[in-house]
């Protein structure tokens, strides 16, 4: 059965967090922390910005959402289920042998997945191509790319940012999930990228830093994108907390990988109001 | 072949407004007219091979027909993962045109020698690999490429390569082109070695050997039937390429023979570049001769085997 898309991003995000916790408890294979840091941004995109449904997924004028941090596939699938794009029951197929719902998102196998991801530093580059192709063919709609802050270690991200600024791809919006934790430690300890907003600005972008868990702030930042006039692309550095929404997961490195036990699931669901 | 590439692309772009040409800051004095005529359908991405390849994939995903043109060694190695994941894995119909295949940039040194690219590209699922042997084959593959609809790698040599085919050819991707028939042996050759293989065949004929010659522009999918036809007749089989002996045409033909060894055990020898970086500086002719790929050395080696 397909879910009806609800309009409240807070409730949308809450339901996604609940499903992700349940699924990851079952699969024992998780990137729950990075999913929870990004889900509020995805909730605003799907409830208020993208206007995607099962009927317009092939429309060249549609908005395109590229999940570049493809490891939060569980969260992506739950988002698609609550957006009414995939059947809700399909969430039971995640990581099941012989099914298509893998640990990283794969185009063509699941409706609403615009790009196969899994290796970092690809989404912003492919996004440049899609945004450029939209522009020269006169198609409407923006290309939104969600990437991790650790992902910004990749040189290819900066190749594409230089390119997007040079070609004034204002129909491209890059969103960085700035949760300050990557796979092996704090961003600042691994490779200190410093002031990301300033870096993107110095590469020729319009950049803004917001609270990535404030729905109104997310929405107004996303609405800054103006696709009609060629100008500098928009980069939203969304300050977030890894594991946001469940106290014992918040800002803890191990929840990049860990999956909740039955006991932890119960506590998590309580905190999430289930 | 580069000249054939840009001329053919220009003709096709006039008819099909989805065609685009993407470069990675290479091709000075080649693309200026194309850029002038087609404006935003020409893009110089800069010296950034990763974004260059993925950008092309994104264009294709949104309905364009991008031809992405770059130096073989940088495109196929530096951006190998982008080619695999953004083009092949996602079935984005991008045409990759690699200039400088083999020892085209010989004196530039091993950074510019492209002798692993066929191995790299044929290993990728969904990829088709074509190495035109002369401008006639290049023009033919260009015309097919426009609506091929699948990832396609075209490996070309230099700006101007000799015309070998003096007649019109029946060119199909995946099919060898018969140039000479012989009773004792067959030479399969791919890419820029075509003219050298023609000379080697002529030398052998003068020495009294009956050796056939097939141009094999498509390395993947390999023309299994063409190989088996010679094997069935018990002919010795030779492959010639300006590429490593690991993973090139020789291995593609060799796999066909290995699969059929129980039925058709034949003499087989591959001629290519041994597993090494060029030890010294040299022109293309010099390096080919060093590695036994000149017409004279090829003829001598084949004569010795045929006895």
């Amino acid at each position: 059965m397909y879910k009806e898309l609800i309009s409240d991003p807070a409730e949308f995000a809450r339901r996604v967090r609940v499903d992700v916790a349940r699924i990851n408890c079952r699969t024992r294979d998780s990137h729950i922390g990075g999913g929870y840091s990004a889900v509020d941004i995805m909730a605003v995109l799907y409830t208020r910005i993208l206007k995607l449904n099962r009927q317009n997924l092939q429309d060249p004028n549609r908005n395109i959402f590229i999940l570049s941090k493809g490891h939060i596939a569980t969260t992506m699938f739950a988002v698609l289920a609550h957006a009414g794009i995939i059947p809700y029951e399909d969430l039971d197929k995640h990581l099941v042998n012989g099914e298509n719902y893998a640990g990283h998102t794969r185009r063509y196998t699941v409706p609403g997945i615009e790009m196969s991801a899994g290796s970092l530093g690809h989404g912003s580059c492919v996004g440049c191509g899609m945004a450029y192709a939209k522009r020269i063919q006169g198609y409407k709609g923006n290309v939104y790319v969600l990437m991790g802050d650790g992902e910004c270690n990749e040189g290819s991200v900066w190749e594409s940012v230089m390119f997007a600024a040079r070609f004034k791809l204002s129909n491209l919006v890059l969103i960085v999930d700035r949760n300050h934790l990557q796979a092996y430690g704090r961003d600042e300890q691994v490779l200190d990228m410093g002031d990301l907003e300033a870096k993107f600005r110095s590469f020729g972008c319009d950049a803004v830093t917001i609270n990535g868990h404030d729905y109104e702030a997310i929405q107004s930042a996303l609405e800054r994108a103006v696709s009609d006039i060629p100008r500098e692309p928009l980069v939203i550095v969304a300050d977030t907390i890894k594991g946001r929404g469940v106290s014992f997961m918040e800002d803890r490195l191990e929840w990049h990988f860990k999956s909740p036990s039955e006991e932890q699931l119960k506590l998590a669901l309580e905190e999430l109001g289930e | 072949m580069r000249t054939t590439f840009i001329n053919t692309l220009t003709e096709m772009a006039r008819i099909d407004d989805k065609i685009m040409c993407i470069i990675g800051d290479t091709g000075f004095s080649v693309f200026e007219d194309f850029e002038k005529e087609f404006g935003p359908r020409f893009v110089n991405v800069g010296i950034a091979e990763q974004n260059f390849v993925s950008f092309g994939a994104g264009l294709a995903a949104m309905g364009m027909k991008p031809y992405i043109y770059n130096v073989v060694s940088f495109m196929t190695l530096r951006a190998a993962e982008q080619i695999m994941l953004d083009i092949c894995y996602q079935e984005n119909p991008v045409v990759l045109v690699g200039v400088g295949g083999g020892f085209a940039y010989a004196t530039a040194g091993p950074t510019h020698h492209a002798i692993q690219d066929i191995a790299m590209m044929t290993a990728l699922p969904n990829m088709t690999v074509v190495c035109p042997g002369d401008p006639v084959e290049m023009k033919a593959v260009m015309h097919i490429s426009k609506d091929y609809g699948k990832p396609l790698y075209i490996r070309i040599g230099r700006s101007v390569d000799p015309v070998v085919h003096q007649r019109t050819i029946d060119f199909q991707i995946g099919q060898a082109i018969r140039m000479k028939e012989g009773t004792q042996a067959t030479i399969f050759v791919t890419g820029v070695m075509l003219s050298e293989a023609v000379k080697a065949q002529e030398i052998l004929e003068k020495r009294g050997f009956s050796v056939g010659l097939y141009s094999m522009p498509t390395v993947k999918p390999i023309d299994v039937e063409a190989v088996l036809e010679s094997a069935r007749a018990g002919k010795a089989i030779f492959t010639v390429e300006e590429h490593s002996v690991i993973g090139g045409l020789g291995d593609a033909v060799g796999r066909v023979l290995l699969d059929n060894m129980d039925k058709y055990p034949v003499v087989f020898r591959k001629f290519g570049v041994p597993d090494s970086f060029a030890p010294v500086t040299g022109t293309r002719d010099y390096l080919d001769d060093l590695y036994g790929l000149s017409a004279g050395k090829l003829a001598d080696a084949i004569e010795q085997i045929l006895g």
Side-chain angles (χ1 to χ4, degrees), chain A residues 86-98:
Chain A
I86 60 169
Y88 185 69
E89 300 74 36
D90 274 22
L91 294 180
D92 295 336
K93 300 177 180 173
H94 184 35
L95 298 187
V96 171
N97 286 340

Side-chain angles (χ1 to χ4, degrees), chain A residues 167-262:
Chain A
F167 286 92
K168 300 196 181 306
L169 296 180
S170 48
N171 57 344
L172 178 72
V173 180
L174 304 178
I175 308 155
V176 181
D177 177 9
R178 186 76 164 125
N179 60 29
H180 295 275
L181 280 170
Q182 46 193 99
Y184 199 77
R186 299 205 81 80
D187 283 17
E188 291 71 17
Q189 290 167 332
V190 180
L191 286 175
D192 190 353
M193 292 180 289
D195 184 345
L196 271 183
E197 179 189 323
K199 281 200 167 55
F200 283 110
R201 280 188 187 281
S202 75
F203 273 68
C205 299
D206 173 22
V208 59
T209 302
I210 58 158
N211 175 351
H213 301 301
D214 177 336
Y215 301 106
E216 299 312 316
I218 297 166
Q219 182 173 353
S220 64
L222 287 166
E223 282 170 353
R224 275 170 76 126
V226 275
S227 52
D228 303 350
I229 317 145
R231 49 166 287 183
E232 62 272 33
L234 173 63
V235 182
I236 299 170
V237 179
D239 250 320
T240 58
I241 297 166
K242 206 157 192 166
R244 165 78 174 199
V246 173
S247 57
F248 58 86
M249 295 182 190
E250 285 190 359
D251 202 32
R252 296 180 69 96
L253 178 64
E254 63 266 33
W255 286 98
H256 180 89
F257 309 98
K258 264 180 83 169
S259 301
S261 63
E262 291 287 349

Side-chain angles (χ1 to χ4, degrees), chain A residues 60 64 106-108 114-116 119 122 125-126 128-130 132-134 136-137 139 156 159-160 163 167, chain B residues 18 20 40-41 43-45 48-51 54-55 58-59 61-64 81-82 85-86 89-90 92:
Chain A
I64 290 175
R106 181 173 178 178
R107 187 180 167 206
Y108 294 130
E114 299 275 9
M115 190 194 98
S116 302
S119 176
H122 287 248
C125 302
V126 173
C128 282
M130 289 178 146
Y132 192 97
K134 263 183 179 289
I136 63 166
Q137 294 176 104
Y139 294 140
S156 56
E159 290 184 6
S160 64
F163 179 89
F167 286 92
Chain B
K18 298 293 182 195
M20 287 186 69
R41 285 161 61 198
V43 181
N44 180 3
V45 174
E49 289 80 10
Q50 301 180 83
N51 187 48
S54 302
F55 172 68
L59 291 172
M62 281 304 290
M64 299 304 291
E81 191 200 67
Q82 278 75 14
L85 296 182
D86 295 336
Y89 180 39
Q90 306 193 50
N92 281 316

Side-chain angles (χ1 to χ4, degrees), chain A residues 16 19-20 23-24 27 29-31 70-79 91 94-95 102-103:
Chain A
V16 170
D19 281 328
V20 169
I23 296 166
N24 284 156
T27 60
D29 185 301
S30 160
H31 283 99
H71 52 278
I72 62 162
T74 315
T75 303
M76 184 69 203
F77 297 145
V79 164
L91 294 180
H94 184 35
L95 298 187

Side-chain angles (χ1 to χ4, degrees), chain B:
Chain B
M1 273 193 265
R2 191 174 67 181
T3 312
T4 311
F5 164 66
I6 189 62
N7 290 344
T8 315
L9 190 69
T10 303
E11 286 166 26
M12 297 192 314
R14 285 181 185 139
I15 299 161
D16 188 337
D17 65 4
K18 298 293 182 195
I19 286 177
M20 287 186 69
C21 181
I22 314 302
I23 65 164
D25 208 39
T26 185
F28 177 70
S29 81
V30 178
F31 295 103
E32 284 78 358
D33 289 343
F34 188 98
E35 181 176 12
K36 209 175 287 170
E37 185 170 346
F38 299 105
R41 285 161 61 198
F42 172 84
V43 181
N44 180 3
V45 174
I47 308 164
E49 289 80 10
Q50 301 180 83
N51 187 48
F52 162 81
V53 168
S54 302
F55 172 68
L59 291 172
M62 281 304 290
M64 299 304 291
K65 295 178 180 175
Y67 285 72
I68 66 170
Y69 172 96
N70 215 327
V71 175
V72 170
S73 49
F74 307 138
M75 174 161 66
T76 60
L77 292 172
R78 182 69 161 264
E81 191 200 67
Q82 278 75 14
I83 295 173
M84 180 165 99
L85 296 182
D86 295 336
I87 295 179
C88 295
Y89 180 39
Q90 306 193 50
E91 300 169 51
N92 281 316
V94 176
V95 181
L96 303 94
V97 179
V99 67
F103 293 131
Y105 300 133
T107 52
T111 54
H112 286 59
H113 297 168
I115 52 172
Q116 288 81 28
D117 58 311
I118 299 176
M120 297 288 296
M121 294 299 104
T122 53
L124 304 178
N126 295 334
M127 182 64 97
T128 296
V129 177
V130 177
C131 313
D134 80 338
V136 178
E137 292 184 10
M138 181 59 190
K139 192 168 178 170
V141 74
M142 282 296 288
H143 282 293
I144 293 174
S145 67
K146 185 169 79 71
D147 296 309
Y148 189 58
K150 289 183 274 189
L152 172 62
Y153 173 57
I154 302 176
R155 179 209 222 214
I156 64 178
R158 292 173 290 189
S159 53
V160 180
D161 297 276
V163 172
V164 177
H165 294 286
Q166 300 301 334
R167 289 168 294 189
T168 52
I169 51 168
D170 176 22
F171 185 99
Q172 297 296 330
I173 287 177
Q175 276 184 26
I177 302 164
R178 185 168 61 194
M179 300 179 69
K180 276 275 169 65
E181 208 51 80
T183 56
Q184 288 177 280
T186 304
I187 298 171
F188 292 102
V189 57
T190 197
V192 288
M193 288 305 292
L194 180 60
S195 57
E196 212 61 16
V198 167
K199 284 183 219 156
Q201 194 276 341
E202 286 166 358
I203 295 169
L204 286 161
E205 204 169 82
K206 278 189 196 128
R207 294 180 190 169
F209 294 97
S210 176
V211 176
L213 177 67
Y214 282 69
S215 176
M216 213 161 209
T218 311
V219 180
K220 184 187 171 187
I222 196 76
D223 186 345
V224 173
E225 196 40 46
V227 176
L228 287 183
E229 204 179 276
S230 284
R232 273 189 216 109
K235 297 174 191 174
I237 290 175
F238 303 103
T239 57
V240 179
E241 62 195 310
E242 211 170 75
H243 183 273
S244 170
V245 290
I246 298 173
L249 173 72
D251 280 0
V253 169
R255 278 194 296 276
V256 176
L257 296 175
L258 196 56
D259 287 345
N260 293 275
M261 199 163 58
D262 52 336
K263 294 185 292 256
Y264 318 119
V266 293
V267 172
F268 170 55
R269 170 85 184 269
K270 49 186 188 185
F271 296 99
V273 181
D275 183 26
S276 68
F277 295 103
V280 290
T281 300
T283 61
R284 178 169 176 234
D285 288 344
Y286 180 89
L287 292 178
D288 279 347
D289 192 64
L290 181 72
Y291 289 128
L293 295 171
S294 57
K297 285 195 175 168
L298 284 170
D300 289 348
I302 291 172
E303 180 178 0
Q304 208 169 23
I305 294 167
L306 294 179

